[in-house]
Amino acid sequence: MAHVSLRDVRKTFDAVEVVHGVSVEIADGEFVVLVGPSGCGKSTLLRMIAGLEDITAGEIAIGGRVVNAVASKDRDIAMVFQNYALYPHMTVAQNMGFSLKMRRERPEVIDRKVREAAAMLGLDALLDRVPRQLSGGQRQRVAMGRSMVRAPKVFLFDEPLSNLDAKLRVQMRAEIKDLHRRLATTTVYVTHDQTEAMTMADRIVVLREGVVEQSGRPLDVYDRPANVFVAGFIGSPAMNVLAGEVVALDGVSAVRLADGTALPLGARVDLTPGQRVLYGIRPEHLSLAADGLPAEIVVVEPTGSETQIVLRVGAARVVAICRERVLAAPGDQCAIRIDASAVHVFDAATGARVAP
């Protein structure tokens, strides 16, 4: 296990800087997920930690040792790739033990470590098969096992589940998290899927265009997004964000949209009438009610355990999530209630959080 430190790390391709001074501290044994949209620099950061990409400026340290000039093979890390990267002509056992063979480990040591890893991953009965005889999930387990046998200081995962179907992704998320619990090895995991980030991480680092937008525990980031980008990226369906200005109605603060619709703010400080803001409310904090803001149902999407509803409120569209069954159809008129205590307010100009 090892502490991983990124200090003002930068990366330039052809005079274009794509990673802009990223600083992240990853504690010994911590599971950190780098998450963000495609092109945000998360895979580049991972490859720089792995030594597969040179850094342009800054410093990367693993276990207290600066590794900027250390070859990838000497960093004591193991990387699991998106496409598994298995040797097609080798058996599962040979793939898992290959790195140990290259280190000239004794055959009995290789066999013992491979069988121990296979037992943990449920691959005992598959050791004599070759990759083409395996499912996607089994291949991913083999790739993980190949990393495990090396007992590295740090595990690096580069979008390892993106090639799997939805059901298998859920299963593999749980298996990777359980594996981390048992091994307690420092892990850096890259994904564009915010659900993976929320469910797997001890801490998530949200990236956009090579900059860290926010870092923190998943629920802290979800409950208090630092800016409107994080608010919209973390959470599915995404937070509803509406532009308006702060007004005082009968002595109570509200946000008035361009069409005149007034949205409740509840008790908020440091907001002044006339201030231009972005009003954020998550879908689960909207509900159908007997009275409230008038709305029109646009789309009803039952998913089984809940129903997602797209509504038109004034000129704006919002998404609500209802736990109960909704017997309504597009075009129906209704009313919605907003949980004012759960409203997020962002500055319209900068996107930064201003309240609460």
Side-chain angles (χ1 to χ4, degrees):
M1 296 187 291
H3 175 272
V4 178
S5 179
L6 282 67
R7 305 173 189 132
D8 196 28
V9 172
R10 299 176 183 272
K11 179 64 181 177
T12 300
F13 290 109
D14 298 326
V16 177
E17 191 171 71
V18 296
V19 175
H20 308 282
V22 169
S23 294
V24 177
E25 298 294 328
I26 301 169
D28 189 2
E30 191 175 22
F31 193 121
V32 169
V33 175
L34 307 180
V35 64
S38 297
C40 72
K42 55 189 184 296
S43 288
T44 300
L45 271 176
L46 195 76
R47 290 176 63 82
M48 287 193 286
I49 297 171
L52 302 176
E53 201 77 64
D54 292 333
I55 72 172
T56 303
E59 188 175 272
I60 296 176
I62 298 175
R65 178 178 66 148
V66 176
V67 296
N68 291 23
V70 176
S72 179
K73 64 183 179 63
D74 298 323
R75 294 192 181 192
D76 201 5
I77 56 93
M79 192 161 178
V80 178
F81 296 92
Q82 177 180 344
N83 62 355
Y84 321 131
L86 302 177
Y87 295 107
H89 62 288
M90 292 184 182
T91 65
V92 167
Q94 290 168 338
N95 266 286
M96 290 174 64
F98 184 73
S99 62
L100 299 180
K101 183 179 179 181
M102 291 297 98
R103 291 181 183 179
R104 301 186 184 279
E105 286 279 11
R106 299 192 312 276
E108 61 270 23
V109 173
I110 296 175
D111 182 69
R112 174 176 58 78
K113 290 187 175 182
V114 166
R115 291 188 180 281
E116 287 174 354
M120 291 184 71
L121 294 166
L123 295 172
D124 312 65
L126 306 177
L127 290 174
D128 294 327
R129 295 189 188 183
V130 292
R132 69 174 180 273
Q133 298 173 315
L134 306 176
S135 68
Q138 290 168 338
R139 292 180 193 180
Q140 193 57 275
R141 287 192 188 92
V142 175
M144 290 163 57
R146 180 181 54 194
S147 297
M148 286 171 56
V149 297
R150 297 173 54 188
K153 290 181 179 178
V154 181
F155 280 127
L156 305 177
F157 289 85
D158 190 9
E159 305 207 40
L161 308 185
S162 58
N163 289 336
L164 305 180
D165 62 54
K167 183 177 180 180
L168 194 51
R169 281 201 302 272
V170 173
Q171 178 184 336
M172 289 300 298
R173 284 204 311 258
E175 291 188 10
I176 292 174
K177 188 62 178 175
D178 182 57
L179 183 64
H180 175 261
R181 180 187 61 80
R182 286 184 282 166
L183 298 179
T185 303
T186 306
T187 300
V188 186
Y189 186 105
V190 159
T191 182
H192 64 275
D193 186 332
Q194 54 86 27
T195 301
E196 282 183 30
M198 289 290 295
T199 55
M200 299 177 72
D202 297 326
R203 184 161 53 95
I204 63 176
V205 178
V206 184
L207 292 158
R208 177 174 61 159
E209 297 180 356
V211 175
V212 175
E213 295 287 344
Q214 189 171 359
S215 174
R217 293 181 299 179
L219 289 179
D220 290 342
V221 173
Y222 185 85
D223 291 336
R224 291 186 60 82
N227 54 48
V228 74
F229 170 78
V230 176
F233 189 80
I234 299 296
S236 181
M239 181 185 290
N240 299 294
V241 179
L242 308 170
E245 68 172 325
V246 178
V247 296
L249 299 177
D250 299 324
V252 178
S253 292
V255 169
R256 184 166 56 203
L257 307 184
D259 62 7
T261 302
L263 305 177
L265 271 176
R268 293 293 186 272
V269 296
D270 299 328
L271 296 176
T272 56
Q275 184 176 353
R276 304 295 302 179
V277 297
L278 298 172
Y279 182 99
I281 186 72
R282 292 204 181 275
E284 63 266 29
H285 297 134
L286 291 172
S287 58
L288 299 181
D291 57 8
L293 287 171
E296 179 186 343
I297 292 177
V298 178
V299 177
V300 179
E301 297 182 326
T303 63
S305 61
E306 61 188 27
T307 303
Q308 296 181 22
I309 309 172
V310 180
L311 302 134
R312 186 178 290 109
V313 179
R317 283 196 178 196
V318 298
V319 177
I321 292 180
C322 299
R323 295 295 180 185
E324 68 276 10
R325 300 297 170 93
V326 176
L327 302 177
D332 288 355
Q333 301 300 309
C334 64
I336 62 169
R337 185 170 296 154
I338 297 174
D339 181 355
S341 67
V343 169
H344 306 259
V345 184
F346 308 93
D347 182 80
T350 66
R353 184 184 191 85
V354 294

